[in-house]
Amino acid sequence: MIVTHDARVTAIADRLISMRDGALVEETRLTRGAGGRLGELAGLEG
């Protein structure tokens, strides 16, 4: 597990796990990595 906001690292992710207030709230499987879209998938970009 890596915790990062660096798009270069997240581009190879195979899943996104979202946390709020220290609790896991959602898991998204990424079939071909995030492809640089992790911010969008996490709701940080529109």
Side-chain angles (χ1 to χ4, degrees):
M1 177 186 292
I2 298 174
V3 178
T4 185
H5 293 273
D6 187 329
R8 295 170 296 176
V9 175
T10 60
I12 62 169
D14 62 355
R15 65 184 174 157
L16 165 66
I17 299 173
S18 300
M19 295 181 72
R20 282 204 183 82
D21 299 325
L24 301 176
V25 294
E26 182 179 10
E27 178 179 356
T28 304
R29 293 274 179 191
L30 306 170
T31 57
R32 294 191 176 144
R37 295 180 37 241
L38 197 60
E40 178 186 339
L41 291 168
L44 302 174
E45 300 171 3

